[in-house]
Structures are given as C-alpha cells and as structure tokens.
Amino acid sequence: MSDLVIVFPLYPGVTHLDFTGPQQVLCRVPGAKIIVASMGGADIEADGLTFTNLADLAQVEACDLICVPGGFGASAAMLDDAFMSHIKRLAGGAKYLTSVCTGSLILAATGLLKGKRATCHWAWKDQLKPFGVIVTEGRVVRDGNIITGGGVTAGLDFAFTMVAELAGDALAQSLQLGLEYSPAPPFNSGTPDTAPPEILAAVRAMMAGAMGERQEAAEEAARRLEAV
C-alpha cells in the first residue's frame, strides 16, 4: 500500500482526542501519509494543548480519507464558509468520508450525508436531522464509503474499523494488541442507557447551555445548503 493520504482538518474548539486517537492508530497503516491541517496552517489550541506545525488546509490538494473530528467549536466551523469550502472540496474527492463525534455535523453540512446513515455523540445526534441524515445508533456506523464514529472514545473503534478496511483484519488486530486496546472502564456510565439517572441529568444540564446554539447552527447550515 502506498500514497494513502489521510487528512484530519482542525478548527478552533476541536476535541483533541477525536483526532489524536484515530491518528495514533491510522499512522501505523503501511503507506499512510497523515496530514493534520488547519486554515492557514494556524496553531490550534484544544483543551490546554496547542497543535502546531500544521498544514494549510487550502494547500491540501486531495486525500483518500478525510476524518473530521468534533468539538464544541463545530457549531462555528459549520458556518465558516471558507473552512467548509475546503471540507466539501476534499470530501467530494475522497474515497472515504469519515468523522468522530460531532465531526459528523460538519461532514453533514457539506450535503454529502443526505439520505445516508450516520452517528454522532449521543447528546447531539438529533442535530444531524436538519441535514437529511438517517440518524443511527452505534459506536461505528457505515453507509457505503461514509464511516462515522460516536462520541470521542468511539474514535478508537472507528480507527480499528478503518484499518481492517484499508489493510485487513490481521493488521487491525495486531495494532489493537500492540496498543493494548482492551477497555475496562471503572464505571458503567458511558452511555445514557447505562449511566445512573442523576449522572445523566447532571451531564444533560451541563450541556444544555450549548444545545440551543448548536441547534441553531445546524439549522442555519442546513438552510445554506438548500439555498445553493
């Protein structure tokens, strides 16, 4: 395998584990060329970490796989015409369109997920509906060449799924073993179905402040698509 170009487009307010998790796995695929890019190659701060020496997204000519990470900055990114023009350009020519967490909202804002099955972080998945996406439960959801991961940690499940697709099950399993990916969380509270009711209520309340803004952003981005 050679010249497998994988692009992670970053933006202010990205969740770094959404891309560093998959990047850690996918960089080990033979022949993979990983490009982490931002508008103008600007540094991106993410939860106290600063990612630098990034490629200029506008200078990335094409890719085989685009993986859009999520984050609280996804709302603004969906409405950034310059950023979205490059996402649509790269996604339109990619063999695989992928995302992690709320990155699927950005991918959906290109219009390329209309009528397709996709997933998102549990708290925000209904915001895929204005884009005509068929919202689907699952850690990793595939519809043809569109492969989306759920919230944050699902990015690792997505990454191993992609390795199996790109280079076979044996390599995927070998990388899983090499990275000792054998999750055994201390609490069974990783989904709304398993979390204690009081924990779920507290997290929903914490996210409520951003819910309206993100819903408005999704609806505005969907309106812009219809106007094109």
Side-chain angles (χ1 to χ4, degrees):
M1 184 181 298
S2 62
D3 298 326
L4 176 69
V5 179
I6 300 172
V7 172
F8 291 91
L10 306 191
Y11 51 87
V14 72
T15 295
H16 62 72
L17 190 57
D18 282 5
F19 76 89
T20 53
Q23 189 275 342
Q24 179 72 76
V25 176
L26 292 172
C27 73
R28 301 185 182 205
V29 173
K33 177 183 178 181
I34 305 290
I35 300 175
V36 183
S38 64
M39 291 297 290
D43 292 355
I44 295 293
E45 189 278 332
D47 293 320
L49 299 180
T50 299
F51 294 88
T52 190
N53 294 324
L54 304 178
D56 182 352
L57 191 61
Q59 299 302 313
V60 180
E61 295 183 358
C63 64
D64 299 292
L65 186 157
I66 184 171
C67 182
V68 185
F72 283 106
S75 299
M78 282 189 288
L79 301 179
D80 183 331
D81 290 338
F83 177 78
M84 287 303 303
S85 70
H86 293 300
I87 298 299
K88 188 169 185 177
R89 173 178 61 83
L90 290 169
K95 183 176 181 180
Y96 296 101
L97 313 184
T98 75
S99 64
V100 176
C101 197
T102 51
S104 59
L105 297 176
I106 295 173
L107 204 54
T110 66
L112 296 173
L113 300 194
K114 186 174 183 179
K116 302 295 185 179
R117 293 181 296 108
T119 193
C120 188
H121 184 286
W122 62 266
W124 317 105
K125 63 176 186 276
D126 285 347
Q127 292 172 3
L128 288 167
K129 293 179 180 178
F131 300 105
V133 176
I134 302 170
V135 181
T136 306
E137 300 290 339
R139 293 275 287 176
V140 181
V141 171
R142 179 169 190 166
D143 191 331
N145 69 332
I146 298 168
I147 305 175
T148 53
V152 190
T153 62
L156 284 170
D157 294 358
F158 151 77
F160 288 113
T161 300
M162 280 308 317
V163 173
E165 168 74 16
L166 296 168
D169 291 359
L171 179 62
Q173 291 180 68
S174 296
L175 293 180
Q176 181 180 353
L177 177 58
L179 294 169
E180 198 175 355
Y181 178 57
S182 181
F187 305 103
N188 188 23
S189 60
T191 70
D193 293 335
T194 61
E198 66 276 14
I199 299 298
L200 177 58
V203 173
R204 285 192 185 279
M206 180 178 65
M207 294 180 169
M211 187 65 71
E213 176 189 359
R214 182 163 283 175
Q215 184 66 40
E216 290 177 5
E219 292 174 357
E220 172 60 23
R223 283 193 292 270
R224 293 183 184 185
L225 276 177
E226 293 176 358
V228 174

